Amino acid sequence: MKNKTNEITLDCGEKAPTMEATLSEIYAAPLPPEMPRQLPKLVKLLLGNTPDIYKPTVAHAIFPPLAAHMQEATFMYTDNTPHEATLMNIVMAPSGTGKGCIDEPINRIMADIRRRDFENSKRLNDWNASNNRRGDNERKAERPEGLVIQEIDADVTHAAFVQRLDEAEKRFLYYKLNEIELFDKLRGSGGQQFVIMCQSFDYGNRYGQTRAGSQSVNVKVCIRFNWNASGTIQAVKRYFARQLTKGPISRINFCTIPQRRIGDKQPKYGIYDEEFDRQLAPYIEQLTTTHGMVNCTQAHRLANRLIEECAEFSALSQDRVFENLSFRANIIAWLKACVLYVANGQRWERSIEDFVRWSLHYDLWCKMRFFADDIRNEEEKTETTTRRGPQSLLDMLPDEFTMDDAKAVRQKCGKSNDGFACNKMINTWLNRKHIIQYTVYSFKKAQKQ
């Protein structure tokens, strides 16, 4: 069902930048970049009933539940390290902006897993009831085998989480939280929820717990855990305030929802029906039945291009926070490409490239907008902040400039302007052929190809 909604704008009338803009323009913009018009077929299907203003948000949120269908499927990244499709997403947006837009697409994606979970939960409850009816001296029935329950409740305890992982038969657990604070149920005795977030992203991790009681859960597991969460911008920032430099933020895919102009019309959703489920089923089947190492040369080439693009902008902007966040953001974007490739029957679509590039820079826009200043303050222990994303320092210089000009630009942007730091930046630009050296202390921008 087609739907029409309002264009994404701020109250001041500013529009989202397109992906044709420079990265300086994208990261300086007050809105994240505009989603490509041509979408991969699976993404187009899952966004078909979503109002336009929510489509970018849903386009990020669909990947954790999609990837939760995969079992023992691995992909080799550009640095020759294997990865499974571990994807975690947070929608952070102002109150009242419609964060529930992700609910129904996720419900449709998770329907098959929830049907099996329901049957296995019933078996587990029957077993518990049977043992509870037995006397203390009677022999208890053995715990049933094959109790795969992938979706965990918001009220899950740390011990139950570990046991679910142990019984999942190398499948992903899945968790959907309407408020980020509900993650505290998994903290155990000391902040384990953040350890879980970090370790689940790392292939081949080992995790578990050891307790003395005979009825306690005592196992070592590999964490396979995908999840979606939501929260206001303030709540999410507050939740990760002590984790800024410890790893979780770089491993999570973030998205947002711009506030509509006051008085705009209510967005209208399409109708989800049996035909929608019928069209979705083949994609879910491909994800469920694909195992082993999957090689997608197109995704590999795309990852290399995106890594180089981020490296170029890191060199131009001299922004260490951007560079550090881009490393895992590239892995997240590449994993999305791999999931789309598998879901499409291991056939590549040209639209995947534009979509994944947009997804990468949207994710990094959110991280820079919502966390970069706090990360800088944590690392530098200063109160100096900026409301902008990273900018190309080279763009801020005239076509012909001197070493003193470069030092002045670095000082203006709050970066070290000593000779060593400036020389290192100039040498990086020379090596990447962004500039040409005329004399010892004068340079000229190279012509763009």
Side-chain angles (χ1 to χ4, degrees), residues 93-114:
S95 179
T97 50
K99 293 183 283 292
C101 63
I102 69 175
D103 292 348
E104 193 56 26
I106 290 176
N107 289 341
R108 296 289 166 158
I109 294 168
M110 290 295 296
D112 63 317
I113 288 177
R114 288 173 177 172

Side-chain angles (χ1 to χ4, degrees), residues 373-392:
D373 286 344
D374 294 332
I375 293 172
R376 292 184 186 110
N377 288 338
E378 183 71 17
E379 291 178 341
E380 300 171 10
K381 299 299 181 183
T382 71
E383 294 302 318
T384 303
T385 61
T386 174
R387 299 304 299 172
R388 297 177 63 90
Q391 293 176 272
S392 168

Side-chain angles (χ1 to χ4, degrees), residues 120-136:
N120 284 338
S121 293
K122 186 175 182 301
R123 291 174 56 213
L124 179 60
N125 290 336
D126 291 344
W127 172 75
N128 282 327
S130 174
N131 277 348
N132 288 338
R133 288 193 297 267
R134 297 174 186 237
D136 293 340

Side-chain angles (χ1 to χ4, degrees), residues 121-306:
S121 293
K122 186 175 182 301
R123 291 174 56 213
L124 179 60
N125 290 336
D126 291 344
W127 172 75
N128 282 327
S130 174
N131 277 348
N132 288 338
R133 288 193 297 267
R134 297 174 186 237
D136 293 340
N137 296 325
E138 293 184 80
R139 183 178 178 181
K140 305 293 185 181
E142 294 292 329
R143 188 177 177 90
E145 295 184 357
L147 284 178
V148 177
I149 300 174
Q150 287 184 252
E151 187 168 23
I152 56 178
D153 298 323
D155 197 28
V156 67
T157 65
H158 182 262
F161 175 78
V162 174
Q163 185 161 49
R164 288 278 188 270
L165 284 168
D166 185 45
E167 296 177 334
E169 298 177 358
K170 299 184 178 180
R171 293 178 172 89
F172 284 89
L173 298 192
Y174 177 75
Y175 201 19
K176 184 179 180 300
L177 302 173
N178 292 331
E179 300 295 339
I180 187 67
E181 295 89 345
L182 293 174
F183 241 118
D184 283 347
K185 292 290 184 180
L186 283 178
R187 67 183 175 187
S189 59
Q192 277 106 324
Q193 77 270 40
F194 299 117
V195 175
I196 289 168
M197 292 175 190
C198 292
Q199 287 206 6
S200 62
F201 193 84
D202 303 330
Y203 180 79
N205 64 82
R206 297 290 294 164
Y207 185 80
Q209 66 173 32
T210 303
R211 299 290 185 270
S214 61
Q215 301 300 315
S216 300
V217 177
N218 293 276
V219 292
K220 291 288 184 182
V221 294
C222 177
I223 302 177
R224 295 178 175 90
F225 183 37
N226 287 1
W227 50 268
N228 290 88
S230 301
T232 64
I233 294 170
Q234 295 82 358
V236 176
K237 285 169 64 70
R238 200 161 49 239
Y239 196 76
F240 289 100
R242 296 186 178 181
Q243 302 294 321
L244 294 168
T245 60
K246 298 180 182 179
I249 289 171
S250 65
R251 292 169 166 88
I252 298 168
N253 177 211
F254 290 89
C255 57
T256 189
I257 305 171
Q259 280 190 316
R260 292 179 290 130
R261 290 171 294 193
I262 296 175
D264 274 353
K265 293 182 179 179
Q266 179 188 48
K268 300 290 186 182
Y269 291 86
I271 303 300
Y272 295 86
D273 52 21
E274 292 182 359
E275 177 59 21
F276 179 91
D277 294 337
R278 187 190 67 78
Q279 293 181 46
L280 179 61
Y283 296 106
I284 299 298
E285 178 71 14
Q286 291 292 340
L287 293 170
T288 303
T289 57
T290 299
H291 311 292
M293 181 64 71
V294 178
N295 180 32
C296 179
T297 56
Q298 297 94 331
H300 192 86
R301 286 197 295 264
L302 173 59
N304 277 319
R305 287 196 293 272
L306 295 177

